[in-house]
Amino acid sequence: MNDTTVTLVGNVATAVEYRDTATGGVARFRFAVTTRRWDREKELWSDGPTSFYTVSAWRSLGANLAASVSVGEPLVVHGRLRVREDERDGQRKTFVDVAALAVGHDLSRGTAAFRRAARTEQKPRPEPAAAPERDPWAVAAAEAAAEPATRLVTVP
């Protein structure tokens, strides 16, 4: 599969919307990425243009994202990039979407406390194999212990 994967560093621009669907839950939000450059002449950081992306996350990633992320928080988003064109209001517009594979808080700008999510789907575990009634190693050891020991005696 020839997907274009990207890693974006930016801020959550809209509230995360979560919906249950037939194929699993999905979370969607807008993500803002603004370039920053050091201006040597003014000796300060200056912001460049802001790019906006629509990020979607499916199943457990989407549910965890909806429970963990708020507007304005700094994130790192890694996923598959998709550029599409659509006609709205009589004009052709370009949209850039990211299907998230992994999302996390940007720890260069703050701290986070991770909590492992409880699994919602419990797959049945296979029953452990029954122990054999007779362990061949134990039987061989018992038989060897029951036999009289033989000694080699050398006669001069």
Side-chain angles (χ1 to χ4, degrees):
M1 190 187 286
N2 292 327
D3 287 333
T4 302
T5 56
V6 294
T7 302
L8 305 170
V9 179
N11 294 304
V12 179
T14 63
V16 178
E17 295 177 16
Y18 181 79
R19 280 188 246 146
D20 282 315
T21 67
T23 57
V26 62
R28 283 200 174 97
F29 66 97
R30 295 282 288 162
F31 192 60
V33 177
T34 303
T35 58
R36 296 199 82 191
R37 302 226 189 300
W38 178 253
D39 187 338
R40 289 184 187 176
E41 292 174 10
K42 297 178 183 174
E43 294 186 2
L44 52 89
W45 288 98
S46 62
D47 289 340
T50 301
S51 298
F52 288 92
Y53 303 87
T54 300
V55 177
S56 59
W58 291 87
R59 293 174 279 291
S60 62
L61 176 58
N64 293 341
L65 206 144
S68 304
V69 172
S70 300
V71 174
E73 291 183 352
L75 295 181
V76 178
V77 175
H78 179 75
R80 290 187 297 269
L81 182 70
R82 190 176 123 215
V83 179
R84 60 187 170 86
E85 289 187 10
D86 196 5
E87 191 170 322
R88 291 193 181 173
D89 303 326
Q91 293 182 339
R92 295 207 50 87
K93 295 193 177 207
T94 302
F95 298 93
V96 183
D97 301 328
V98 176
L101 301 172
V103 178
H105 284 100
D106 183 356
L107 297 180
S108 69
R109 298 197 274 163
T111 62
F114 180 79
R115 291 176 307 280
R116 188 172 297 276
R119 294 190 100 158
T120 56
E121 291 182 29
Q122 291 287 336
K123 293 183 180 178
R125 290 187 178 173
E127 295 282 329
E133 291 181 23
R134 291 181 43 165
D135 181 8
W137 293 102
V139 171
E143 289 173 356
E147 293 178 7
T150 55
R151 290 186 202 194
L152 289 175
V153 178
T154 19
V155 179

